[in-house]
Structure formats: structure tokens, C-alpha cells
Amino acid sequence: MIHYIIRRCLYAVPLLLGVNVLTFVLFFVVNSPDDMARMQLGQKHVTEQAVQNWKHQHGYDRPLLWNDAKSGLERITDTIFYRKSVGLFLFDFGISDSGRNIGADIGQRMWPSLALAIPSLLVGLMVNITVALLMVLFRSTYLEFGSIVLCVILMSISSLFYIIGGQFLIGKLLKLVPISGYDTGLEAIKFLILPVLISVIAGIGSGARWYRTLFLEEVEKDYVRTARAKGLSEPRVLFKHVLNNAMIPILTGVVVILPLLFMGSLIMESFFSIPGLGSYTIDAINRQDFAIVRSMVFLGSALYILGLLLTDISYTLVDPRVRLS
């Protein structure tokens, strides 16, 4: 397994390099260093000298990818891409274009993101699996038909409707929890209840239907018929045997998104004014802060690759027949 992990880590290097190149090209196709300077200086009438000074201070006065004025390796190393990218592979995110320490910002903002994402994942997972098992338990009945229709309706509604509707109904009319905001410590719980509840409800439609499909494939297998023949009740067969044997596809879906929980939710954090990494990325895009955007894209890619690796390793824990080589 050690050789497999090392090989996967080596595969990650060209993938991360490709993602970094693509992010760099896309960003500078839309924004030139001059545009970034004028945005950061934030003045209506910015002089050309001020723009040049800003570019020089932040290292944007070099060519983007290739420096014809240099010779040898300096044609590559004396460019914006090289100077801004080398530190990323050491997870040194550097300083943002607005002068903030990106690593410190990530360390500070990851906790609100995790405080929102982890309960949303765990509660959502339990609700979706329970609903799916109940749908399988009552399969071929009107209850299952009604549940499927309800799931399709829930899937068809935009997540923005859940957010705005939840804020209006629960936050404004019933005044059960604050509409938006965030606080530290235990005080944060009252601000997280509504976004977690909305995340769970918005995910029931697609989640329950997907898990129902997994469980329906299992209930027709021989080991399930054997369990029924032994006299086990249908709920026991479903919640013990079928659930255990469906763990591999469930883990595939869960483990992959675990590292991405760290990145936060762009929409949720923006609507509920939660100072996590999702709102951090949105603010950076609005300010055209390339250093933060590049760092967040790179970090997200690295975490996604880590999630895929964890998924493969988790297979060996759930199913002893799986061997990594």
C-alpha cells in the first residue's frame, strides 16, 4: 500500500501543475496586471506611475509566462507564473495583493467553514440514508411512490429558494434563530442552526434517491434472501445487512467530499455572512485578488486529490477483498 500511496502522490504533481497553469491563464485572460493595479488602488483617476509602482511592489511587472529579455532558465523563472507558483507546492501561499497573509487568513477562516460543513454533512447523511432505507422498506407501495415524487420536487427547487425562504420564514417571521451573522464559541450555534437545516433539507431529494438506488440493488442479492430465510425481520435485514454491504459506494461519495468541507460553501457563507473560506474566495474574486484566488483553487485541488486517495484506502478497510497495488 505504501508504494501505491507514493505513486498516487507523484501523480498529483503534474495534476496540480496543470490546474495551476489553467487558473493562471484563465485569470489573466480576463484581467491584466494593469486592471488588477487599478482595482487595488481603488481610485478613479489612477496615474500610470502609480500603476507601475503597484505592479513593481507586487511582482506583476514581469512577463506572464516567458521572459524574452533573459537567457537560459531565467526565461522561465523570471516570470509572474514561476514567481507566484513555486511557493504553492510547498503550501506557502504568500501575501495577497491587498497585503494580507493568506496562510494566516486560511487558518483563521477554516473553522467557521468546518463548523458549518461538518454538521451539514453528518446530519444530511443520516437523514438521507434513513429516508432511503424507509423508502426501500415500503417499496412498491403508495408511500414509496409519494416519497419519490416528493424527492423529485425537492430536487427541482433551486437552493436559493431554500435559503431565502428559510431566512424569511424561520428567521424573520418566526424569529427562532438569527437571519445571518456569526459569533465565536458556543454563541456560534444559534447562527449555524438555520444554514445547517437548509443544507439538509435541500439535499434530501437527490441524496435519498441516490441511496435508495444503492439499497435496491442490494435487496435482491442472495445474502439478503438468506437473511430473510433465517427469519430476520425486514427492518433488521435492511438496517444491518443491506446497509453494511452498501458502505463502499456510500464511502465513495462521503470520503471524496471530506477534504472539500474545508473549503467552505460559497453560497451559504455569502448569504448567512459566515466568515469562512467560501466567502473569503467570493470576496477575492470580487476584488480581483489573484493571489487568493490562485491559492484557494490550488488548495481545493490538492484536497480533492487527497480525498480520492482516502477513498481508495477506505475501500481496503470496508472490504478485505480489495487490495491496493
Side-chain angles (χ1 to χ4, degrees):
M1 182 185 291
I2 298 298
H3 293 95
Y4 177 81
I5 294 173
I6 293 174
R7 190 167 69 248
R8 288 291 299 270
C9 291
L10 292 176
Y11 289 162
V13 175
L15 286 175
L16 291 174
L17 182 62
V19 169
N20 199 25
V21 170
L22 190 60
T23 306
F24 184 86
V25 171
L26 288 176
F27 190 90
F28 282 103
V29 164
V30 179
N31 300 290
S32 68
D34 287 2
D35 296 333
M36 295 166 57
R38 291 189 176 88
M39 174 67 74
Q40 295 297 327
L41 291 171
Q43 300 170 12
K44 265 189 174 179
H45 304 290
V46 181
T47 64
E48 185 61 28
Q49 184 60 43
V51 170
Q52 295 303 325
N53 289 341
W54 186 92
K55 288 166 59 179
H56 180 70
Q57 290 171 2
H58 293 83
Y60 290 107
D61 56 343
R62 298 180 176 85
L64 294 178
L65 292 167
W66 185 261
N67 192 342
D68 285 325
K70 301 291 182 179
S71 60
L73 278 179
E74 285 190 335
R75 288 184 171 180
I76 298 175
T77 58
D78 195 27
T79 59
I80 295 176
F81 175 76
Y82 184 85
R83 296 295 179 96
K84 301 289 183 184
S85 300
V86 171
L88 289 179
F89 287 88
L90 301 174
F91 291 95
D92 177 11
F93 301 112
I95 304 298
S96 73
D97 295 336
S98 57
R100 295 184 61 84
N101 186 316
I102 299 175
D105 283 345
I106 292 174
Q108 180 182 3
R109 286 174 170 264
M110 60 179 276
W111 301 112
S113 292
L114 290 174
L116 171 63
I118 291 177
S120 300
L121 172 69
L122 295 179
V123 177
L125 188 63
M126 287 189 291
V127 169
N128 291 341
I129 289 177
T130 304
V131 171
L133 285 171
L134 290 174
M135 290 168 69
V136 175
L137 180 63
F138 294 100
R139 60 188 178 279
S140 304
T141 66
Y142 287 113
L143 189 60
E144 187 201 25
F145 178 75
S147 301
I148 294 173
V149 172
L150 182 60
C151 286
V152 172
I153 293 173
L154 290 173
M155 290 172 58
S156 305
I157 299 174
S158 167
S159 59
L160 295 179
F161 176 84
Y162 291 109
I163 295 173
I164 297 171
Q167 286 181 321
F168 177 76
L169 177 64
I170 301 177
K172 187 173 184 179
L173 288 184
L174 301 178
K175 299 185 186 303
L176 297 177
V177 291
I179 292 178
S180 65
Y182 193 75
D183 204 344
T184 56
L186 294 177
E187 291 296 316
I189 294 176
K190 64 182 179 184
F191 293 101
L192 293 173
I193 291 174
L194 184 56
V196 170
L197 179 65
I198 290 173
S199 297
V200 172
I201 294 175
I204 287 178
S206 57
R209 285 199 69 202
W210 184 61
Y211 291 124
R212 170 182 168 273
T213 304
L214 298 180
F215 298 143
L216 283 177
E217 290 178 1
E218 292 291 326
V219 294
E220 300 301 330
K221 292 186 176 176
D222 291 340
Y223 75 89
V224 177
R225 282 193 284 270
T226 303
R228 289 178 184 138
K230 290 168 64 178
L232 296 180
S233 64
E234 190 66 14
R236 186 176 174 84
V237 170
L238 288 176
F239 284 86
K240 186 179 179 183
H241 297 281
V242 172
L243 181 58
N244 286 343
N245 285 279
M247 285 305 291
I248 282 188
I250 292 175
L251 277 175
T252 304
V254 173
V255 179
V256 166
I257 63 172
L258 277 180
L260 298 183
L261 298 179
F262 177 83
M263 299 298 295
S265 168
L266 300 179
I267 296 178
M268 280 291 179
E269 291 180 8
S270 298
F271 269 88
F272 289 95
S273 301
I274 295 174
L277 292 176
S279 59
Y280 186 56
T281 307
I282 289 288
D283 292 342
I285 294 172
N286 291 332
R287 293 197 312 269
Q288 296 184 13
D289 195 323
F290 170 66
I292 296 177
V293 174
R294 172 206 58 184
S295 299
M296 296 307 295
V297 172
F298 183 88
L299 183 61
S301 303
L303 290 173
Y304 189 73
I305 292 171
L306 174 64
L308 293 177
L309 180 59
L310 291 177
T311 304
D312 290 346
I313 295 174
S314 67
Y315 286 164
T316 63
L317 302 177
V318 175
D319 189 345
R321 295 170 297 178
V322 177
R323 291 284 186 272
L324 300 179
S325 60

